[in-house]
Amino acid sequence: MNFPRFLVGMTTASFVVALSTFLATGSIWKALGWTVLTLIVLQVGYFIFVVRLIYRGRKSHR
C-alpha cells in the first residue's frame, strides 16, 4: 500500500463516516467528533502497518 492510495481511502472513509453520522444524528458536532476519531484510528493503523513492514524487512535481511 502506498501513501497516496492510503490518503484517498482515508478521505473517502472520513467522508462516509461524517455523512452517515450527520444523517443519523442531525448534529454537525457529533459528525465532526466521529470523523476525528475515525481519522485517529486510521492513522494509528497506518503507523502500525508501516512499523510492521519495517520490522519484517529488517528481519529478512539478517
Side-chain angles (χ1 to χ4, degrees), residues 10 25 31 39 45 53 55 58:
M10 189 170 81
T25 64
L39 288 170
L53 283 177
Y55 177 72
R58 292 183 78 203

Side-chain angles (χ1 to χ4, degrees), residues 6-24:
F6 169 73
L7 284 179
V8 170
M10 189 170 81
T11 303
T12 303
S14 301
F15 179 74
V16 168
V17 167
L19 183 63
S20 62
T21 305
F22 177 72
L23 292 176

Side-chain angles (χ1 to χ4, degrees), residues 9-50:
M10 189 170 81
T11 303
T12 303
S14 301
F15 179 74
V16 168
V17 167
L19 183 63
S20 62
T21 305
F22 177 72
L23 292 176
T25 64
S27 170
I28 292 175
W29 296 111
K30 284 185 182 180
L32 180 64
W34 278 104
T35 303
V36 168
L37 181 64
T38 302
L39 288 170
I40 291 169
V41 168
L42 286 171
Q43 191 63 39
V44 167
Y46 187 74
F47 177 76
I48 291 170
F49 177 74
V50 169

